[in-house]
Amino acid sequence: MESVLLYIFGVLIIVVGLAVSIGLHELGHLIPAKLFGVKVTQYMIGFGKTLFSRRKGETEYGLKAIPLGGYISMIGMFPPTKPGEKVHASSTGFVQQLSDAHTDTAATDVAGAIEGAIDEPTEPSGKRRAFDSLVQDARDMSAETIGDGEDSRAFYRLPVYKRVIIMLGGPAMNLVLAVLFYGIVLVGFGAPAASVGAISECVMPAGATQQSCPADAEPSPAAAAGFEPGDRVESIDGQSVTSWDQFSAIIRDHPGDQLSVTVLRDGGHETLQLTPKLTSRPESAGSSTMVDVGFAGVTRAGDMQPQPVTAVLPAVGDNIGAVVGIITHLPQRLIDIGQAAFGTEERDPNGPMSVVGVGRLAGEVVSIDTIPVVAKAQTMFGILASLNVALLVFNLIPLTPLDGGHVAAALWEGIKRGWAKIRRKQDPGPVDAAKLMPLTFTVVVILGGMSVLLIYADIVKPITLFG
């Protein structure tokens, strides 16, 4: 029973942490919007039924039933399509844009073809008429919330740089949170120290089950170099080593190279000559893919070593790169996840997962009594750091209705107006991004389908830390 309660507690930590991160993301939009004079009618955390709300001034602040997203509603997210037409309210949350008629159609036109879709009218027919009707219905419903004389406070009337600041405010907040959480993880708790816990006497094939070395077995590189349990690696070839991960990476990247390793032993320094051996090992924990890497034959001790502040930003950068890599190969990864969910293939432990999968991992960590409390806390902060990096990168994708789409639309408008000014042509005016509603709708449908697949896979074939 205790383990079940701890599991639930771990899940709740992630749910609350995610809700707070989303709330601060939306606060990153709210603050500059108000500073720049845009009328903000709503600030909401979550989707669905409103559980609590309170109006302060002209803005309603509230909490909704499903804390998996958020939005702020600003008037005038897109310009009138006709001269003198009244501006309409819209929001920064892509789910809310469809469900509550705060249709966020300030979109990106990042290619010439999209520009043509905006600037060149076509005869409405078939699906186009349906999309036009959807856009007009959303405009009519949101127009009811706009008071007279408020056009000057519309989002689209702001200079381009102010619109970019507002839309980048949310991702910027996630970046700040990621840096904060990584600072707690690395500087506060520390990283595994480059301390040797045990040494393999010989080189054993990956996956070998035998416990003793055969008489004719080759000594492991660490044993041949003279490593002893308790040694703390301080430098390799003059390069300072501050963590076990750094030490392992150097070993893996230098098979066959002789390395001069300085270790701290019994208060004194020893210099050892280590030549990692080329061997096949799993690409990552739990992976069935084998890669050729350097091998030394040492395992780490359990002590932690606080990292310098300078280690935080590189860690955030590495995480950003990993998320970008996942998004870049997302179609193939989703195919692999589908095959795993509906077939016999295994899930990639380094692949994407839904918030359900993240919650399960958190519950698993918290419920295992063999893991020290400090290690559990460090892991939870690490998960929250990774979630904020994911929110940062995901929201910067230059597609409507994500923040990156709004940024791209504003920048494109700035380019068009700047080019017209250079050519001494008439100001083309704001980009009519409302005509990109079909793209917005398509992206929302794709994201919804992706979420359903990931949630299903995380239920029927979840990624686990401990098998």
Side-chain angles (χ1 to χ4, degrees):
M1 182 62 181
E2 180 180 356
S3 62
V4 174
L5 292 176
L6 288 173
Y7 186 96
I8 295 174
F9 180 63
V11 174
L12 288 176
I13 290 175
I14 294 304
V15 171
V16 173
L18 179 60
V20 171
S21 298
I22 291 172
L24 291 174
H25 172 101
E26 297 304 332
L27 195 64
H29 295 307
L30 178 71
I31 292 175
K34 284 184 171 289
L35 288 176
F36 294 147
V38 178
K39 182 177 180 180
V40 181
T41 58
Q42 282 188 315
Y43 169 92
M44 291 288 172
I45 300 175
F47 299 116
K49 183 179 179 180
T50 301
L51 301 179
F52 165 82
S53 70
R54 181 178 180 181
R55 180 170 296 279
K56 184 176 181 181
E58 62 187 14
T59 305
E60 178 189 10
Y61 300 86
L63 179 66
K64 290 181 174 286
I66 307 174
L68 300 180
Y71 67 95
I72 68 169
S73 292
M74 297 179 286
I75 68 169
M77 286 291 288
F78 49 85
T81 55
K82 297 178 182 179
E85 182 181 354
K86 193 176 183 181
V87 297
H88 315 293
S90 189
S91 73
T92 61
F94 70 85
V95 174
Q96 200 67 27
Q97 293 159 13
L98 296 183
S99 63
D100 284 353
H102 295 290
T103 308
D104 188 350
T105 48
T108 171
D109 33 11
V110 293
I114 298 179
E115 178 189 359
I118 295 176
D119 295 335
E120 297 178 11
T122 58
E123 284 295 325
S125 61
K127 293 182 179 179
R128 180 60 183 270
R129 283 199 300 267
F131 280 122
D132 286 345
S133 177
L134 177 64
V135 172
Q136 191 57 49
D137 288 345
R139 285 173 170 169
D140 292 342
M141 293 177 65
S142 62
E144 296 176 2
T145 66
I146 310 302
D148 294 332
E150 294 178 340
D151 286 4
S152 62
R153 302 185 63 191
F155 175 79
Y156 84 91
R157 291 191 180 277
L158 291 176
V160 168
Y161 80 93
K162 289 186 177 181
R163 278 180 277 163
V164 170
I165 289 174
I166 290 175
M167 299 318 299
L168 289 182
M173 188 66 77
N174 292 126
L175 177 60
V176 170
L177 289 173
V179 172
L180 173 63
F181 288 138
Y182 265 112
I184 294 173
V185 169
L186 296 176
V187 181
F189 291 100
S195 298
V196 177
I199 301 165
S200 300
E201 296 181 5
C202 61
V203 178
M204 302 286 285
T209 57
Q210 60 194 88
Q211 300 296 319
S212 58
C213 295
D216 59 346
E218 178 186 358
S220 71
F227 277 87
E228 296 181 5
D231 286 347
R232 173 169 288 195
V233 178
E234 295 202 331
S235 67
I236 298 179
D237 286 344
Q239 177 184 350
S240 177
V241 175
T242 59
S243 70
W244 184 263
D245 289 342
Q246 182 186 4
F247 173 57
S248 297
I250 294 174
I251 297 301
R252 292 171 66 90
D253 293 342
H254 291 83
D257 298 334
Q258 187 176 48
L259 305 174
S260 181
V261 183
T262 300
V263 301
L264 180 64
R265 178 186 300 170
D266 298 329
H269 290 89
E270 299 282 345
T271 300
L272 309 176
Q273 302 302 317
L274 173 68
T275 304
K277 180 179 177 60
L278 180 65
T279 185
S280 293
R281 288 290 184 269
E283 185 176 23
S284 60
S287 174
S288 59
T289 303
M290 305 298 289
V291 294
D292 291 333
V293 296
F295 167 76
V298 291
T299 57
R300 71 177 182 88
D303 54 330
M304 305 292 287
Q305 181 175 349
Q307 300 298 293
V309 175
T310 54
V312 175
L313 291 182
V316 175
D318 290 342
N319 197 340
I320 290 174
V323 175
V324 170
I326 290 176
I327 293 176
T328 302
H329 301 92
L330 192 57
Q332 182 58 49
R333 287 181 177 271
L334 291 177
I335 292 174
D336 294 340
I337 290 172
Q339 292 175 342
F342 298 100
T344 59
E345 289 79 1
E346 293 297 322
R347 289 281 300 273
D348 179 1
N350 296 313
M353 68 178 72
S354 70
V355 68
V356 172
V358 175
R360 293 188 67 152
L361 287 181
E364 184 179 357
V365 169
V366 174
S367 64
I368 296 178
D369 54 12
T370 57
I371 300 178
V373 174
V374 172
K376 292 180 181 180
Q378 182 183 29
T379 301
M380 301 307 285
F381 278 112
I383 292 175
L384 291 175
S386 296
L387 279 174
N388 275 278
V389 169
L391 289 172
L392 162 68
V393 177
F394 181 75
N395 275 285
L396 290 179
I397 297 175
L399 291 173
T400 68
L402 302 173
D403 295 337
H406 299 296
V407 172
L411 294 177
W412 179 246
E413 180 182 316
I415 292 173
K416 290 181 66 177
R417 286 180 155 177
W419 182 241
K421 185 176 182 180
I422 291 174
R423 299 174 62 195
R424 303 193 179 200
K425 300 289 186 179
Q426 182 179 359
D427 187 346
V431 168
D432 186 11
K435 293 182 179 179
L436 286 177
M437 185 61 181
L439 175 62
T440 302
F441 185 81
T442 301
V443 172
V444 171
V445 170
I446 292 174
L447 292 177
M450 181 182 72
S451 298
V452 170
L453 174 61
L454 289 174
I455 291 173
Y456 177 77
D458 287 333
I459 293 174
V460 301
K461 190 169 287 187
I463 296 173
T464 62
L465 294 176
F466 306 100

